[in-house]
Amino acid sequence: MSGRLLTPVTGQIRYSRTVNIGENQLTVSFQTKDKILPYGIYPRRLISYLCKYITSTKAKNPKIKLPKNKLNFLKEVLNINYVCGKNDTLMINNQLRAFAECLLSIHYSNPNDKSRKQRDAIKFFDGDCSWLYDEKQEWLGEISLSEEMFDLIKSSAVPISEQAVNTFTNSRKLDIFNYFTYQNYNLHLKRMDHYFGLEDLYNLFGSGISSINEFRRV
């Protein structure tokens, strides 16, 4: 397993992580020309909303209805139940902008033409969605996923805990919780036990933590 943060001469920032799945490997990469890659709890809540909308409505096209205004969006999608000050608003919009402007790549060592399609630098959204994070622009109330992202969600979405998404404020905690929930489900189906090595978990979830001992404490 490995994670790499790269800054090519093109000015793009790229983060790549590879994990072993049995004898095969999965590599997920994010890249952007913006100053920051996606981070924080709010993009996770937004992607959860998008996936839930598509799966629950059995959507036939990539257009997603959003609440009628930004205030309702903050409350119903991002689960923010207080009046945001200037600093909070800036932080939330920065997280949404980083998410909207990045490109996602997914590469399998054993691809197929269904759930394991290779994805090269795909966008989350289609067209200009800067109104999502720009307070000066009119709120549109509908957003379109890119065709590639729409196909990815339809073919790959898995159940997660809505309560955890809306309750946890620490993104690392949410990622680890969702990871173990999904792994436990698969192990239960196969009637298997498994030991998760701390070093492997550190490689997966320890970004920004200086040592494995500090990760153990966190």
Side-chain angles (χ1 to χ4, degrees):
M1 299 181 184
S2 63
R4 305 188 307 279
L5 182 61
L6 308 173
T7 307
V9 292
T10 58
Q12 286 198 346
I13 300 173
R14 181 171 179 267
Y15 179 80
S16 180
R17 184 172 292 271
T18 299
V19 296
N20 298 317
I21 306 174
E23 297 179 352
N24 299 299
Q25 289 188 326
L26 165 67
T27 300
V28 179
S29 303
F30 295 92
Q31 65 189 65
T32 183
K33 289 185 177 180
D34 199 5
K35 296 179 180 178
I36 51 176
L37 289 164
Y39 71 100
I41 196 68
Y42 298 119
R44 287 163 170 82
R45 290 179 178 172
L46 176 55
I47 192 68
S48 175
Y49 173 88
L50 299 173
C51 293
K52 180 181 178 181
Y53 183 97
I54 290 171
T55 55
S56 64
T57 65
K58 299 181 180 179
K60 302 297 184 183
N61 64 69
K63 293 186 182 297
I64 309 294
K65 292 289 185 182
L66 295 178
K68 60 183 179 180
N69 55 50
K70 182 68 173 285
L71 185 61
N72 283 11
F73 170 79
L74 295 176
K75 182 177 181 179
E76 297 172 23
V77 177
L78 302 188
N79 199 39
I80 298 173
N81 296 304
Y82 62 91
V83 178
C84 297
K86 182 178 180 180
N87 290 338
D88 283 347
T89 298
L90 180 61
M91 178 268 293
I92 293 164
N93 286 336
N94 282 341
Q95 288 191 16
L96 295 176
R97 177 178 178 177
F99 175 69
E101 294 189 354
C102 81
L103 302 175
L104 170 68
S105 297
I106 303 176
H107 293 152
Y108 301 90
S109 61
N110 60 333
N112 59 29
D113 59 354
K114 296 181 180 179
S115 62
R116 296 197 304 272
K117 286 183 182 179
Q118 309 285 39
R119 312 279 179 173
D120 292 302
I122 67 173
K123 298 186 297 182
F124 282 91
F125 301 112
D126 184 40
D128 182 10
C129 60
S130 57
W131 54 270
L132 192 65
Y133 50 81
D134 186 348
E135 299 295 319
K136 297 179 181 179
Q137 297 189 42
E138 179 184 359
W139 183 258
L140 297 184
E142 182 179 88
I143 198 163
S144 292
L145 296 174
S146 68
E147 290 289 345
E148 298 92 339
M149 181 55 59
F150 181 60
D151 179 66
L152 176 61
I153 292 175
K154 289 190 68 174
S155 64
S156 307
V158 298
I160 60 173
S161 167
E162 185 174 19
Q163 181 180 357
V165 171
N166 290 329
T167 302
F168 294 171
T169 57
N170 183 291
S171 55
R172 194 192 317 272
K173 180 179 180 180
L174 178 62
D175 290 346
I176 293 174
F177 178 85
N178 285 336
Y179 176 78
F180 278 127
T181 301
Y182 182 64
Q183 295 297 338
N184 184 63
Y185 171 74
N186 287 313
L187 291 168
H188 173 72
L189 289 181
K190 298 176 182 178
R191 298 183 179 181
M192 293 174 59
D193 294 325
H194 182 70
Y195 172 79
F196 293 89
L198 187 63
E199 184 175 351
D200 291 341
L201 295 174
Y202 176 56
N203 287 333
L204 280 173
F205 303 109
S207 178
I209 298 179
S210 59
S211 69
I212 193 169
N213 287 332
E214 176 67 10
F215 176 74
R216 185 197 307 269
R217 187 190 67 79
V218 169

